Amino acid sequence: MPLVTTAEPRPTNFRFRCIACGNLNETANQDFRCANCNDLLEITYPCWKSALADPEKLKSAWRQRRVSLRPDDLSGVWRFRELLPELGDDQQIITLREGNTPLYELPRCAGLTGVPGLFAKHQGMNPTSSFKDTGMTVAATFARRAGFRWVACASTGNTSASMAAYAARGGLLSLVLVPEGKISWSKLSQALDYGAVTCQLRTDFDGCLRLLQELVLRAPVYQLNSINPFRLEGQKTLAVELLEQLDWQPLDHIIVPGGNLGNSSAIGKALLEMHELGLIPRLPKLSVIQAEGANALVRTLREADGRRLIGVQAETRATAIRIGNPASWKKAAHVIAATGGACEQVSEIEIAQAKAEIGAEGIGCEPASAVTLAGLKKLVKQGFVKPEETVVLVLTGNVLKDPDYTIDFHRGELFKGTTDEGASIALNPLRRAPVVLDATLDAVIRTLEREEKT
Ligand code: F0G
């Protein structure tokens, strides 16, 4: 089995640690599982405390890099390289200038939820239009450094788009496994354009991931799913950049969508590490929201107290999070508990409504991202989020990632023939269906007048 080693070209600042038995290692097998107990690995930094003893110095270095033109400083990920696995050679970085994503105020959604301090961190503004790029720059870089020619992933679409792009930039070959008919055309088209070998498998995401896990043990391909701990290290920087954008002022809640649960694990790890290093005085609560039809973590925490995974047969139109057996469920359960966060589920109708409301802010996002706003409404109702608190929703993907969903919604076709059809009528005021007219001035003016009256 090929080894992914940290032992070259010089001593590094990190080790692999098993999340279950704590076993520490300088190397990891290609399945990124513990050789003792088979659980997932995470990256840990044994000498951090002494090396990064001055948080103000770190903040100042990161601020200064914002005016630098070095490729690693232009990346919103590598700019925070002190918190990442050490590479040793900056020239090896594969970057598309990921990160550096905007933090938007959401005044209309703030009004709807009764939380004035509401923001959106829009990870859909990354180079391939999803949050995956922040992790991919790190993992693809380490894949190339470890000498692999092939990288591979199972995906609901965004990982594959991102992986294909970074592989292409880094001169690597990429293999994509996606569930046939269950990913959006936008995402599929990205993987094709960036040159990936794309296999549409007759199964769901969980089936694709299972197959990938077997494949990496048989063939010299480097796995770029979020089981790969380098991915999570890159995705951590979202939280660092966010706190910097808030001028390191305390923040109360971060709300993220949950699918395979890599992103929530990464953000939670960043919060715990920043707290440990004295970069933030207190921990924001990290909450994870899932679609009702893909609610494995919700059920795992409620019905099994987080002790064993309760897998589900996933079904949701938010295809990015159509995942029934999330790989990183233990990591996510840990960071939710450690930060005092919550885990909630939202219905298909609630997702569609929240997506239209975020769209009406002039921002937009893909359906999976909209679960955050839908979840926030529930958390406010439950009293878990208080009106005076500061809340950041993590919007994980761009509105253009799934145009079919948006068009179906506005045309009133999203819920046709489903049990939600009746209830979805309540969403009519949010719909903006296109109108087909004769090409006359009269027809356009009549349309304007009609809109004025409504
Ligand atoms: N939002 C979007 C837009 C996603 O693409 C994903 C995951 C998630 C949220 C959930 O993040 O898996 O880290 O909990 N997409 C993966 C993919 C699974 O293959 O693109 P997670």
PDB file of all heavy atoms in Angstrom, residues 398-422:
ATOM      1  N   ASN A 398     -22.108  28.573  -4.476  1.00  0.00           N
ATOM      2  CA  ASN A 398     -22.652  29.671  -5.268  1.00  0.00           C
ATOM      3  C   ASN A 398     -24.041  29.341  -5.831  1.00  0.00           C
ATOM      4  O   ASN A 398     -24.338  28.186  -6.122  1.00  0.00           O
ATOM      5  CB  ASN A 398     -21.666  29.900  -6.424  1.00  0.00           C
ATOM      6  CG  ASN A 398     -21.890  31.190  -7.136  1.00  0.00           C
ATOM      7  OD1 ASN A 398     -22.837  31.340  -7.879  1.00  0.00           O
ATOM      8  ND2 ASN A 398     -21.003  32.136  -6.899  1.00  0.00           N
ATOM      9  N   VAL A 399     -24.859  30.365  -6.034  1.00  0.00           N
ATOM     10  CA  VAL A 399     -26.209  30.165  -6.580  1.00  0.00           C
ATOM     11  C   VAL A 399     -26.175  29.497  -7.963  1.00  0.00           C
ATOM     12  O   VAL A 399     -27.085  28.758  -8.335  1.00  0.00           O
ATOM     13  CB  VAL A 399     -26.983  31.515  -6.625  1.00  0.00           C
ATOM     14  CG1 VAL A 399     -26.354  32.489  -7.605  1.00  0.00           C
ATOM     15  CG2 VAL A 399     -28.455  31.298  -6.968  1.00  0.00           C
ATOM     16  N   LEU A 400     -25.093  29.707  -8.723  1.00  0.00           N
ATOM     17  CA  LEU A 400     -25.027  29.133 -10.079  1.00  0.00           C
ATOM     18  C   LEU A 400     -24.663  27.648 -10.082  1.00  0.00           C
ATOM     19  O   LEU A 400     -24.616  27.020 -11.140  1.00  0.00           O
ATOM     20  CB  LEU A 400     -23.995  29.912 -10.917  1.00  0.00           C
ATOM     21  CG  LEU A 400     -24.356  31.379 -11.151  1.00  0.00           C
ATOM     22  CD1 LEU A 400     -23.250  32.095 -11.908  1.00  0.00           C
ATOM     23  CD2 LEU A 400     -25.672  31.494 -11.926  1.00  0.00           C
ATOM     24  N   LYS A 401     -24.421  27.085  -8.914  1.00  0.00           N
ATOM     25  CA  LYS A 401     -24.069  25.666  -8.831  1.00  0.00           C
ATOM     26  C   LYS A 401     -25.250  24.756  -9.167  1.00  0.00           C
ATOM     27  O   LYS A 401     -25.049  23.605  -9.546  1.00  0.00           O
ATOM     28  CB  LYS A 401     -23.592  25.335  -7.414  1.00  0.00           C
ATOM     29  CG  LYS A 401     -22.164  25.744  -7.129  1.00  0.00           C
ATOM     30  CD  LYS A 401     -21.187  24.827  -7.826  1.00  0.00           C
ATOM     31  CE  LYS A 401     -19.787  25.001  -7.288  1.00  0.00           C
ATOM     32  NZ  LYS A 401     -18.863  24.001  -7.846  1.00  0.00           N
ATOM     33  N   ASP A 402     -26.470  25.234  -8.938  1.00  0.00           N
ATOM     34  CA  ASP A 402     -27.627  24.359  -9.169  1.00  0.00           C
ATOM     35  C   ASP A 402     -28.796  25.152  -9.765  1.00  0.00           C
ATOM     36  O   ASP A 402     -29.828  25.341  -9.121  1.00  0.00           O
ATOM     37  CB  ASP A 402     -28.043  23.693  -7.845  1.00  0.00           C
ATOM     38  CG  ASP A 402     -28.980  22.508  -8.059  1.00  0.00           C
ATOM     39  OD1 ASP A 402     -29.486  22.359  -9.198  1.00  0.00           O
ATOM     40  OD2 ASP A 402     -29.214  21.746  -7.096  1.00  0.00           O
ATOM     41  N   PRO A 403     -28.632  25.622 -11.012  1.00  0.00           N
ATOM     42  CA  PRO A 403     -29.675  26.468 -11.604  1.00  0.00           C
ATOM     43  C   PRO A 403     -31.009  25.743 -11.789  1.00  0.00           C
ATOM     44  O   PRO A 403     -32.064  26.370 -11.727  1.00  0.00           O
ATOM     45  CB  PRO A 403     -29.079  26.892 -12.950  1.00  0.00           C
ATOM     46  CG  PRO A 403     -27.942  25.975 -13.197  1.00  0.00           C
ATOM     47  CD  PRO A 403     -27.466  25.471 -11.881  1.00  0.00           C
ATOM     48  N   ASP A 404     -30.973  24.418 -11.986  1.00  0.00           N
ATOM     49  CA  ASP A 404     -32.233  23.677 -12.176  1.00  0.00           C
ATOM     50  C   ASP A 404     -33.144  23.849 -10.967  1.00  0.00           C
ATOM     51  O   ASP A 404     -34.353  24.033 -11.095  1.00  0.00           O
ATOM     52  CB  ASP A 404     -31.965  22.172 -12.366  1.00  0.00           C
ATOM     53  CG  ASP A 404     -31.419  21.891 -13.747  1.00  0.00           C
ATOM     54  OD1 ASP A 404     -31.428  22.816 -14.590  1.00  0.00           O
ATOM     55  OD2 ASP A 404     -30.960  20.761 -13.980  1.00  0.00           O
ATOM     56  N   TYR A 405     -32.541  23.764  -9.786  1.00  0.00           N
ATOM     57  CA  TYR A 405     -33.320  23.900  -8.550  1.00  0.00           C
ATOM     58  C   TYR A 405     -33.978  25.277  -8.510  1.00  0.00           C
ATOM     59  O   TYR A 405     -35.176  25.411  -8.247  1.00  0.00           O
ATOM     60  CB  TYR A 405     -32.388  23.730  -7.343  1.00  0.00           C
ATOM     61  CG  TYR A 405     -33.086  23.776  -5.986  1.00  0.00           C
ATOM     62  CD1 TYR A 405     -33.343  22.614  -5.280  1.00  0.00           C
ATOM     63  CD2 TYR A 405     -33.472  24.997  -5.409  1.00  0.00           C
ATOM     64  CE1 TYR A 405     -33.972  22.647  -4.030  1.00  0.00           C
ATOM     65  CE2 TYR A 405     -34.095  25.049  -4.176  1.00  0.00           C
ATOM     66  CZ  TYR A 405     -34.341  23.863  -3.490  1.00  0.00           C
ATOM     67  OH  TYR A 405     -34.962  23.911  -2.264  1.00  0.00           O
ATOM     68  N   THR A 406     -33.184  26.298  -8.805  1.00  0.00           N
ATOM     69  CA  THR A 406     -33.688  27.676  -8.712  1.00  0.00           C
ATOM     70  C   THR A 406     -34.813  27.903  -9.722  1.00  0.00           C
ATOM     71  O   THR A 406     -35.850  28.487  -9.403  1.00  0.00           O
ATOM     72  CB  THR A 406     -32.530  28.663  -8.974  1.00  0.00           C
ATOM     73  OG1 THR A 406     -31.441  28.297  -8.126  1.00  0.00           O
ATOM     74  CG2 THR A 406     -32.939  30.087  -8.671  1.00  0.00           C
ATOM     75  N   ILE A 407     -34.609  27.414 -10.922  1.00  0.00           N
ATOM     76  CA  ILE A 407     -35.622  27.624 -11.968  1.00  0.00           C
ATOM     77  C   ILE A 407     -36.888  26.834 -11.642  1.00  0.00           C
ATOM     78  O   ILE A 407     -38.000  27.353 -11.740  1.00  0.00           O
ATOM     79  CB  ILE A 407     -35.032  27.266 -13.358  1.00  0.00           C
ATOM     80  CG1 ILE A 407     -33.968  28.303 -13.722  1.00  0.00           C
ATOM     81  CG2 ILE A 407     -36.122  27.215 -14.414  1.00  0.00           C
ATOM     82  CD1 ILE A 407     -33.110  27.945 -14.895  1.00  0.00           C
ATOM     83  N   ASP A 408     -36.719  25.596 -11.211  1.00  0.00           N
ATOM     84  CA  ASP A 408     -37.891  24.797 -10.805  1.00  0.00           C
ATOM     85  C   ASP A 408     -38.663  25.502  -9.694  1.00  0.00           C
ATOM     86  O   ASP A 408     -39.890  25.530  -9.690  1.00  0.00           O
ATOM     87  CB  ASP A 408     -37.465  23.403 -10.297  1.00  0.00           C
ATOM     88  CG  ASP A 408     -37.145  22.465 -11.443  1.00  0.00           C
ATOM     89  OD1 ASP A 408     -37.315  22.865 -12.614  1.00  0.00           O
ATOM     90  OD2 ASP A 408     -36.699  21.326 -11.164  1.00  0.00           O
ATOM     91  N   PHE A 409     -37.921  26.087  -8.755  1.00  0.00           N
ATOM     92  CA  PHE A 409     -38.598  26.783  -7.647  1.00  0.00           C
ATOM     93  C   PHE A 409     -39.421  27.952  -8.173  1.00  0.00           C
ATOM     94  O   PHE A 409     -40.612  28.072  -7.887  1.00  0.00           O
ATOM     95  CB  PHE A 409     -37.571  27.294  -6.617  1.00  0.00           C
ATOM     96  CG  PHE A 409     -38.213  28.157  -5.566  1.00  0.00           C
ATOM     97  CD1 PHE A 409     -38.919  27.585  -4.517  1.00  0.00           C
ATOM     98  CD2 PHE A 409     -38.160  29.552  -5.654  1.00  0.00           C
ATOM     99  CE1 PHE A 409     -39.563  28.379  -3.566  1.00  0.00           C
ATOM    100  CE2 PHE A 409     -38.799  30.349  -4.705  1.00  0.00           C
ATOM    101  CZ  PHE A 409     -39.501  29.765  -3.664  1.00  0.00           C
ATOM    102  N   HIS A 410     -38.801  28.809  -8.973  1.00  0.00           N
ATOM    103  CA  HIS A 410     -39.500  30.028  -9.402  1.00  0.00           C
ATOM    104  C   HIS A 410     -40.647  29.716 -10.372  1.00  0.00           C
ATOM    105  O   HIS A 410     -41.624  30.444 -10.426  1.00  0.00           O
ATOM    106  CB  HIS A 410     -38.505  31.031  -9.972  1.00  0.00           C
ATOM    107  CG  HIS A 410     -37.668  31.661  -8.892  1.00  0.00           C
ATOM    108  ND1 HIS A 410     -38.162  32.583  -8.007  1.00  0.00           N
ATOM    109  CD2 HIS A 410     -36.382  31.447  -8.508  1.00  0.00           C
ATOM    110  CE1 HIS A 410     -37.231  32.933  -7.140  1.00  0.00           C
ATOM    111  NE2 HIS A 410     -36.130  32.247  -7.417  1.00  0.00           N
ATOM    112  N   ARG A 411     -40.515  28.637 -11.107  1.00  0.00           N
ATOM    113  CA  ARG A 411     -41.608  28.239 -12.003  1.00  0.00           C
ATOM    114  C   ARG A 411     -42.708  27.476 -11.279  1.00  0.00           C
ATOM    115  O   ARG A 411     -43.694  27.063 -11.890  1.00  0.00           O
ATOM    116  CB  ARG A 411     -41.068  27.360 -13.139  1.00  0.00           C
ATOM    117  CG  ARG A 411     -40.299  28.152 -14.160  1.00  0.00           C
ATOM    118  CD  ARG A 411     -40.087  27.294 -15.382  1.00  0.00           C
ATOM    119  NE  ARG A 411     -39.570  28.076 -16.486  1.00  0.00           N
ATOM    120  CZ  ARG A 411     -38.695  27.633 -17.360  1.00  0.00           C
ATOM    121  NH1 ARG A 411     -38.236  26.398 -17.258  1.00  0.00           N
ATOM    122  NH2 ARG A 411     -38.282  28.392 -18.341  1.00  0.00           N
ATOM    123  N   GLY A 412     -42.494  27.217 -10.010  1.00  0.00           N
ATOM    124  CA  GLY A 412     -43.518  26.497  -9.234  1.00  0.00           C
ATOM    125  C   GLY A 412     -43.496  24.994  -9.476  1.00  0.00           C
ATOM    126  O   GLY A 412     -44.490  24.298  -9.243  1.00  0.00           O
ATOM    127  N   GLU A 413     -42.368  24.467  -9.965  1.00  0.00           N
ATOM    128  CA  GLU A 413     -42.319  23.036 -10.310  1.00  0.00           C
ATOM    129  C   GLU A 413     -41.528  22.188  -9.309  1.00  0.00           C
ATOM    130  O   GLU A 413     -41.489  20.971  -9.415  1.00  0.00           O
ATOM    131  CB  GLU A 413     -41.701  22.880 -11.709  1.00  0.00           C
ATOM    132  CG  GLU A 413     -42.656  23.339 -12.789  1.00  0.00           C
ATOM    133  CD  GLU A 413     -41.973  23.591 -14.123  1.00  0.00           C
ATOM    134  OE1 GLU A 413     -40.782  23.243 -14.259  1.00  0.00           O
ATOM    135  OE2 GLU A 413     -42.642  24.160 -15.006  1.00  0.00           O
ATOM    136  N   LEU A 414     -40.893  22.850  -8.332  1.00  0.00           N
ATOM    137  CA  LEU A 414     -39.982  22.125  -7.440  1.00  0.00           C
ATOM    138  C   LEU A 414     -40.694  21.025  -6.650  1.00  0.00           C
ATOM    139  O   LEU A 414     -40.141  19.954  -6.435  1.00  0.00           O
ATOM    140  CB  LEU A 414     -39.309  23.118  -6.482  1.00  0.00           C
ATOM    141  CG  LEU A 414     -38.132  22.585  -5.683  1.00  0.00           C
ATOM    142  CD1 LEU A 414     -36.976  22.172  -6.591  1.00  0.00           C
ATOM    143  CD2 LEU A 414     -37.633  23.632  -4.686  1.00  0.00           C
ATOM    144  N   PHE A 415     -41.918  21.311  -6.230  1.00  0.00           N
ATOM    145  CA  PHE A 415     -42.613  20.348  -5.364  1.00  0.00           C
ATOM    146  C   PHE A 415     -43.748  19.625  -6.085  1.00  0.00           C
ATOM    147  O   PHE A 415     -44.543  18.943  -5.450  1.00  0.00           O
ATOM    148  CB  PHE A 415     -43.134  21.075  -4.118  1.00  0.00           C
ATOM    149  CG  PHE A 415     -42.020  21.621  -3.263  1.00  0.00           C
ATOM    150  CD1 PHE A 415     -41.715  22.981  -3.256  1.00  0.00           C
ATOM    151  CD2 PHE A 415     -41.246  20.769  -2.481  1.00  0.00           C
ATOM    152  CE1 PHE A 415     -40.674  23.470  -2.482  1.00  0.00           C
ATOM    153  CE2 PHE A 415     -40.202  21.256  -1.704  1.00  0.00           C
ATOM    154  CZ  PHE A 415     -39.920  22.607  -1.705  1.00  0.00           C
ATOM    155  N   LYS A 416     -43.837  19.802  -7.409  1.00  0.00           N
ATOM    156  CA  LYS A 416     -44.929  19.156  -8.178  1.00  0.00           C
ATOM    157  C   LYS A 416     -44.896  17.652  -7.984  1.00  0.00           C
ATOM    158  O   LYS A 416     -43.858  17.014  -8.104  1.00  0.00           O
ATOM    159  CB  LYS A 416     -44.764  19.480  -9.666  1.00  0.00           C
ATOM    160  CG  LYS A 416     -45.689  20.580 -10.085  1.00  0.00           C
ATOM    161  CD  LYS A 416     -46.248  20.410 -11.485  1.00  0.00           C
ATOM    162  CE  LYS A 416     -47.281  21.488 -11.665  1.00  0.00           C
ATOM    163  NZ  LYS A 416     -46.823  22.526 -12.580  1.00  0.00           N
ATOM    164  N   GLY A 417     -46.053  17.093  -7.636  1.00  0.00           N
ATOM    165  CA  GLY A 417     -46.149  15.638  -7.515  1.00  0.00           C
ATOM    166  C   GLY A 417     -45.580  15.103  -6.213  1.00  0.00           C
ATOM    167  O   GLY A 417     -45.529  13.890  -6.014  1.00  0.00           O
ATOM    168  N   THR A 418     -45.124  15.980  -5.313  1.00  0.00           N
ATOM    169  CA  THR A 418     -44.610  15.500  -4.023  1.00  0.00           C
ATOM    170  C   THR A 418     -45.644  15.793  -2.937  1.00  0.00           C
ATOM    171  O   THR A 418     -46.591  16.547  -3.157  1.00  0.00           O
ATOM    172  CB  THR A 418     -43.281  16.206  -3.626  1.00  0.00           C
ATOM    173  OG1 THR A 418     -43.586  17.548  -3.223  1.00  0.00           O
ATOM    174  CG2 THR A 418     -42.297  16.239  -4.769  1.00  0.00           C
ATOM    175  N   THR A 419     -45.406  15.227  -1.764  1.00  0.00           N
ATOM    176  CA  THR A 419     -46.348  15.443  -0.656  1.00  0.00           C
ATOM    177  C   THR A 419     -46.295  16.890  -0.167  1.00  0.00           C
ATOM    178  O   THR A 419     -47.173  17.323   0.577  1.00  0.00           O
ATOM    179  CB  THR A 419     -45.999  14.504   0.528  1.00  0.00           C
ATOM    180  OG1 THR A 419     -44.596  14.623   0.778  1.00  0.00           O
ATOM    181  CG2 THR A 419     -46.336  13.061   0.213  1.00  0.00           C
ATOM    182  N   ASP A 420     -45.269  17.634  -0.596  1.00  0.00           N
ATOM    183  CA  ASP A 420     -45.139  19.038  -0.176  1.00  0.00           C
ATOM    184  C   ASP A 420     -45.877  19.993  -1.115  1.00  0.00           C
ATOM    185  O   ASP A 420     -45.864  21.206  -0.886  1.00  0.00           O
ATOM    186  CB  ASP A 420     -43.650  19.444  -0.160  1.00  0.00           C
ATOM    187  CG  ASP A 420     -42.920  18.858   1.032  1.00  0.00           C
ATOM    188  OD1 ASP A 420     -43.553  18.694   2.084  1.00  0.00           O
ATOM    189  OD2 ASP A 420     -41.712  18.574   0.900  1.00  0.00           O
ATOM    190  N   GLU A 421     -46.507  19.451  -2.172  1.00  0.00           N
ATOM    191  CA  GLU A 421     -47.068  20.336  -3.202  1.00  0.00           C
ATOM    192  C   GLU A 421     -48.049  21.356  -2.607  1.00  0.00           C
ATOM    193  O   GLU A 421     -47.947  22.559  -2.894  1.00  0.00           O
ATOM    194  CB  GLU A 421     -47.747  19.510  -4.290  1.00  0.00           C
ATOM    195  CG  GLU A 421     -48.125  20.357  -5.484  1.00  0.00           C
ATOM    196  CD  GLU A 421     -48.494  19.538  -6.715  1.00  0.00           C
ATOM    197  OE1 GLU A 421     -48.340  18.290  -6.692  1.00  0.00           O
ATOM    198  OE2 GLU A 421     -48.941  20.151  -7.687  1.00  0.00           O
ATOM    199  N   GLY A 422     -48.966  20.889  -1.765  1.00  0.00           N
ATOM    200  CA  GLY A 422     -49.964  21.786  -1.171  1.00  0.00           C
ATOM    201  C   GLY A 422     -49.320  22.857  -0.311  1.00  0.00           C
ATOM    202  O   GLY A 422     -49.560  24.059  -0.488  1.00  0.00           O
TER     203      GLY A 422
END
